């Protein structure tokens, strides 16, 4: 009997070892979009079941006539993502806080997660609060789970001083709001390319010197490095999980998906087929990966750039605020997949 017991233990270890190896081979970011069957329960919510979608993202309510974009799900090549179970996430994260930090793409993902959770526990009690100019909090009060947004477009500071508005690449005061949060999901990029009237600063300060302007990718890297130093110095990975969202792509140039006559995402009704985006990856992604690779603490990249690049059909286009928007994403839509992957990481520890 004792011999049998030993054999069982050894077989058990082998099985565990093998399944971990299999999991680590699966890169959930390598895959393609598939149109799901009628019987599927995707999308997970709509503007009726989730009353918190802001107008900017609420494409169906704004009259978007086509619906195929709602029925694509992300299929990794080497494994299957587990279905979203909001109740499971709320129970596992009882008493904890999840915070998205960054620009309006973070707001997009924050609203998506609220809708995914709210729709899986219909009628749940909640409390929505805007605590400051930056921070909004949605609390699932029955579970004491906070889903938060910190709106800070550069992560580093913009400060008004005698010379004007200064973008300070070495200064990161926003971090005061990130202390004690259990899950942090950072994102910044879209504002780094702003020029003219929508650029919210007059000078860049770095290393104690003021510049009228500089290469924006260089500035982005310096700011990310400041952020990375903060994480390395202040985050305890046993208490706090840190993610970076990856670069959310825009679709304003049809040449990048081999359709030169398309001047934007307007009228796009289906994703790029297959797994490769003809236009390649945005250069900012390589910068982000370089900064993450130099860090001492582990930050997990939610590497959603490739899968989102394929979704030229996923933007509000003219069914957002009224102008043309090929940067944000309709809800329900692509950010639900970002959150499904986040969920798989948080709850199931799928590699
Ligand atoms: C999308 O899927 C739903 C069921 O989940 C189905 O009712 C609807 O017809 C599908 N729409 C399209 C455009 O395939
Ligand atoms: C929205 O979702 C609710 C609940 O899942 C469903 O009953 C309703 O039919 C949906 N409405 C639309 C317009 O899809
Ligand atoms: C994924 O799920 C499908 C059916 O839902 C199944 O046929 C397939 O074997 C699964 N793939 C993996 C890698 O588990
Ligand atoms: C669109 O993309 C193509 C291919 O990448 C590039 O050659 C072209 O300059 C771009 N056009 C604009 C208006 O950015
Ligand atoms: C992203 O796509 C590019 C080609 O478009 C490919 O070379 C690269 O391996 C992909 N990366 C991931 C993480 O899927």
């Amino acid at each position: 009997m004792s011999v049998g017991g030993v054999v069982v233990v050894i077989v058990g270890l082998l099985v565990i070892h093998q399944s971990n190896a299999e999991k680590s081979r699966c890169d959930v970011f390598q895959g393609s979009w598939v149109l799901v069957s009628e019987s599927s329960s995707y999308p997970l919510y709509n503007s009726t079941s989730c009353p918190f979608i802001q107008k900017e993202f609420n494409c169906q309510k704004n009259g978007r006539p086509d619906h195929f974009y709602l029925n694509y799900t992300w299929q990794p090549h080497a494994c299957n993502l587990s279905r979203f179970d909001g109740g499971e996430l709320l129970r596992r994260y009882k008493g904890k806080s999840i915070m998205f930090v960054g620009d309006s793409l973070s707001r997009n993902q924050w609203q998506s997660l609220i809708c995914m959770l709210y729709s899986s526990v219909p009628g749940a009690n909640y409390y929505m609060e805007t605590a400051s100019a930056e921070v909004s909090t949605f609390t699932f009060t029955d579970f004491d789970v906070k889903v938060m947004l910190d709106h800070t477009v550069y992560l580093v500071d913009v400060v008004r001083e005698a010379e004007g508005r200064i973008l300070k690449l070495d200064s990161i005061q926003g971090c005061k709001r990130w202390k004690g949060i259990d899950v942090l999901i950072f994102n910044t990029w879209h504002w780094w390319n702003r020029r003219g009237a929508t650029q919210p600063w007059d000078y860049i300060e770095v290393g104690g010197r003021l510049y009228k302007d500089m290469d924006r990718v260089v500035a982005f890297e310096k700011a990310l490095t400041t952020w990375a130093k903060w994480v390395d110095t202040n985050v305890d990975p046993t208490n706090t999980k840190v993610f970076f969202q990856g670069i959310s792509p825009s679709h304003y140039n049809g040449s990048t998906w081999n359709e030169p006559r398309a001047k934007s995402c307007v009228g796009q009704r289906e994703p790029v087929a297959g797994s490769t985006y003809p236009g390649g990856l945005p250069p900012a992604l390589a910068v982000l990966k370089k900064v993450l690779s130099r860090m001492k603490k582990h930050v997990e990249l939610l590497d959603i750039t490739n899968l989102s690049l394929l979704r030229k059909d996923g933007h509000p286009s003219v069914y957002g605020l009224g102008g043309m928007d090929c940067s944000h994403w309709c809800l329900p839509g692509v950010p639900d997949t970002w959150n499904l992957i986040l969920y798989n990481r948080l709850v199931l520890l799928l590699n």
Side-chain angles (χ1 to χ4, degrees), residues 76-98:
H77 290 316
C79 56
N80 292 319
L81 289 166
S82 290
R83 292 186 74 82
F84 185 75
D85 180 346
E88 180 70 11
L89 183 64
L90 289 169
R91 282 187 295 276
R92 293 254 202 129
Y93 280 77
K94 196 168 175 39
K96 296 194 190 296
S97 47
I98 300 170

Side-chain angles (χ1 to χ4, degrees), residues 267-313:
Q268 295 298 321
R269 293 181 171 212
E270 46 190 59
V272 174
S275 303
T276 305
Y277 191 70
L281 294 163
L285 183 63
V287 173
L288 173 59
K289 285 185 175 173
K290 182 168 73 179
V291 172
L292 294 183
S293 74
R294 289 182 192 140
M295 291 179 69
K296 294 198 293 279
K297 299 271 169 70
H298 178 66
V299 172
E300 191 166 336
L301 178 63
L302 276 179
D303 199 355
I304 50 80
T305 306
N306 269 20
L307 65 87
S308 307
L309 273 169
L310 301 171
R311 292 305 303 274
K312 59 188 171 60
D313 62 325

Side-chain angles (χ1 to χ4, degrees), residues 13-311:
L13 287 175
L14 285 175
V15 168
I16 290 165
H17 181 77
Q18 189 186 21
S19 70
N20 280 345
E22 269 165 19
K23 274 189 181 173
S24 65
R25 269 205 303 275
C26 175
D27 177 353
V28 295
F29 302 105
Q30 299 276 7
S32 58
W33 291 96
V34 295
L35 193 56
V36 296
S37 71
E38 304 264 324
S39 61
S40 161
S41 53
Y42 285 95
L44 294 160
Y45 60 90
N46 60 38
S47 52
T48 314
S49 60
C50 182
F52 316 108
I53 311 174
Q54 72 186 71
K55 180 174 166 58
E56 196 173 358
F57 311 136
N58 205 338
C59 300
Q60 282 175 291
K61 202 170 180 190
N62 297 334
R64 181 165 175 172
D66 59 311
H67 301 289
F68 283 104
Y69 77 95
L70 295 166
N71 285 25
Y72 283 94
T73 59
W74 179 248
Q75 178 60 60
H77 290 316
C79 56
N80 292 319
L81 289 166
S82 290
R83 292 186 74 82
F84 185 75
D85 180 346
E88 180 70 11
L89 183 64
L90 289 169
R91 282 187 295 276
R92 293 254 202 129
Y93 280 77
K94 196 168 175 39
K96 296 194 190 296
S97 47
I98 300 170
M99 182 188 259
F100 294 93
V101 184
D103 59 28
S104 54
L105 275 314
S106 294
R107 180 181 293 278
N108 224 173
Q109 191 177 359
W110 174 68
Q111 283 189 11
S112 159
L113 185 59
I114 290 171
C115 285
M116 290 166 74
L117 291 170
Y118 186 74
S119 302
S120 43
V121 283
N125 293 302
Y126 67 90
Y127 182 64
M128 175 100 95
E129 171 191 34
T130 303
S132 66
E134 295 87 10
V135 178
S136 306
T137 302
F138 190 101
T139 308
F140 287 88
T141 49
D142 307 322
F143 302 89
D144 191 22
V145 171
K146 290 184 164 55
V147 185
M148 308 172 77
L149 173 71
D150 178 13
H151 183 73
T152 172
V153 300
Y154 295 107
L155 303 184
V156 294
D157 303 335
V158 179
V159 180
R160 186 178 283 280
E161 290 182 354
E163 298 86 346
R165 298 163 303 170
I166 302 179
L167 172 58
K168 300 194 167 198
L169 303 184
D170 305 322
S171 176
I172 190 152
Q173 294 296 318
C175 64
K176 289 172 189 151
R177 304 188 292 269
W178 312 334
K179 289 232 163 109
I181 304 290
D182 301 287
V183 180
L184 287 161
I185 306 109
F186 291 94
N187 142 62
T188 181
W189 168 244
H190 281 237
W191 284 66
W192 291 92
N193 266 327
R194 289 201 174 197
R195 289 176 167 78
T198 64
Q199 174 188 304
W201 50 264
D202 305 304
Y203 295 95
I204 296 180
E205 185 184 283
V206 61
R209 287 189 56 190
L210 280 188
Y211 299 85
K212 189 66 197 150
D213 206 342
M214 65 168 65
D215 184 296
R216 300 304 179 82
V217 177
V218 171
F220 173 66
E221 181 171 350
K222 287 185 187 300
L224 283 181
T225 304
T226 300
W227 165 86
K229 269 191 208 133
W230 177 80
V231 172
D232 279 343
T233 314
N234 293 283
V235 169
D236 175 357
T238 55
N239 297 327
T240 309
K241 293 190 176 70
V242 183
F243 295 86
F244 210 101
Q245 191 201 71
I247 307 295
S248 173
S250 301
H251 291 90
Y252 290 101
N253 178 354
S255 296
T256 61
W257 64 87
N258 290 343
E259 203 184 321
R261 276 177 306 169
K263 295 287 175 270
S264 71
C265 66
V266 175
Q268 295 298 321
R269 293 181 171 212
E270 46 190 59
V272 174
S275 303
T276 305
Y277 191 70
L281 294 163
L285 183 63
V287 173
L288 173 59
K289 285 185 175 173
K290 182 168 73 179
V291 172
L292 294 183
S293 74
R294 289 182 192 140
M295 291 179 69
K296 294 198 293 279
K297 299 271 169 70
H298 178 66
V299 172
E300 191 166 336
L301 178 63
L302 276 179
D303 199 355
I304 50 80
T305 306
N306 269 20
L307 65 87
S308 307
L309 273 169
L310 301 171
R311 292 305 303 274

